[in-house]
Amino acid sequence: MLKITPYLGILVLIVSIGGLWYPALGYFMLLIFAAIFLISPFRGRWFCGNLCPRGSFVDFWVSKISRKKKIPDTVRSLWVRVPVFFLLMGFMGYRIANILGSLNTFEKIGMVFVTMCLVTTAIAFLLGTYLSPRTWCSFCPMGTAQRLIGGKRYPLKLTKEKCINCGKCDKVCPMQLKVREEGKKPDCIKCGRCVNACPKNALQF
């Protein structure tokens, strides 16, 4: 992860709460969307593990009070994730379409983004405390989009000859992935924690 990653969580609170009084803060979400779609074709879900404010929020804030249970396999399924993506994106699009042409359009659209940020952050907080910090990230619409666009990019590589099967990499993975298991890991968020935890330098991107 980047040195700035642990401090980005404050941004999601500024937009979610401050946006209720200053709706223009909601347009910060457009920067997030732009960054996601610029990065994901080359590095998959790297944004999630390094630049996502909500990811930082759950990793470094919510994790302190989380029960840290297993993330249900059901929420990882594309049968759940794709409908969630279209449901949230469709709802946001519908709200914006109904606002266009009305008075104070700029502020109203900003409030749509603020509302979406607030609602999804609340869900992330509740799931993060009850289950595991990154539960929301397992079916986050933007995470799903990144997976579909560049899930095979910038893969994690394991040098089997060096691995001693100590399991430290699995324990530190915030997405609860089986790091040592063969095959692509499209939901790897490239945070690098497994790489740093490996005592034999058997992992690299």
Side-chain angles (χ1 to χ4, degrees):
M1 74 184 73
L2 304 177
K3 290 183 179 179
I4 195 176
T5 304
Y7 308 102
L8 294 175
I10 189 65
L11 294 176
V12 78
L13 295 181
I14 290 174
V15 174
S16 298
I17 299 175
L20 296 175
W21 287 272
Y22 303 99
L25 289 172
Y27 286 93
F28 177 74
M29 299 291 291
L30 294 181
L31 293 178
I32 296 294
F33 295 157
I36 285 173
F37 289 106
L38 285 174
I39 295 172
S40 58
F42 307 99
R43 295 215 165 185
R45 294 193 65 173
W46 182 90
F47 180 90
C48 296
N50 295 272
L51 291 177
C52 179
R54 185 178 292 118
S56 173
F57 175 67
V58 296
D59 273 347
F60 300 100
W61 299 28
V62 176
S63 64
K64 298 183 186 302
I65 57 174
S66 175
R67 298 173 66 195
K68 298 181 180 177
K69 301 291 185 178
K70 183 181 184 298
I71 298 173
D73 292 333
T74 305
V75 301
R76 299 180 188 273
S77 168
L78 289 179
W79 290 104
V80 171
R81 297 167 65 169
V82 172
V84 168
F85 174 86
F86 283 108
L87 179 64
L88 288 180
M89 294 301 104
F91 178 72
M92 185 171 66
Y94 173 77
R95 289 282 307 279
I96 292 175
N98 284 339
I99 289 169
L100 293 177
S102 65
L103 295 175
N104 300 319
T105 299
F106 181 82
E107 288 188 357
K108 288 180 179 179
I109 291 178
M111 185 55 74
V112 171
F113 291 133
V114 168
T115 303
M116 292 296 293
C117 184
L118 180 59
V119 169
T120 52
T121 298
I123 294 172
F125 176 80
L126 293 173
L127 291 176
T129 53
Y130 184 72
L131 292 173
S132 178
R134 286 273 183 172
T135 303
W136 164 257
C137 304
S138 297
F139 64 99
C140 166
M142 291 298 98
T144 299
Q146 290 174 84
R147 172 191 169 121
L148 296 175
I149 294 172
K152 296 180 180 180
R153 301 291 184 178
Y154 199 53
L156 179 67
K157 297 179 181 179
L158 169 67
T159 303
K160 289 186 178 180
E161 293 75 16
K162 294 182 178 180
C163 180
I164 58 174
N165 290 314
C166 64
K168 290 183 178 180
C169 54
D170 291 345
K171 291 178 182 178
V172 299
C173 178
M175 295 294 287
Q176 298 183 3
L177 302 179
K178 296 178 180 179
V179 179
R180 291 166 293 153
E181 191 175 86
E182 291 187 21
K184 302 294 183 181
K185 299 173 181 63
D187 280 317
C188 171
I189 57 175
K190 331 292 183 183
C191 64
R193 294 181 197 182
C194 56
V195 176
N196 294 332
C198 181
K200 296 295 182 180
N201 296 317
L203 295 166
Q204 62 178 340
F205 286 105

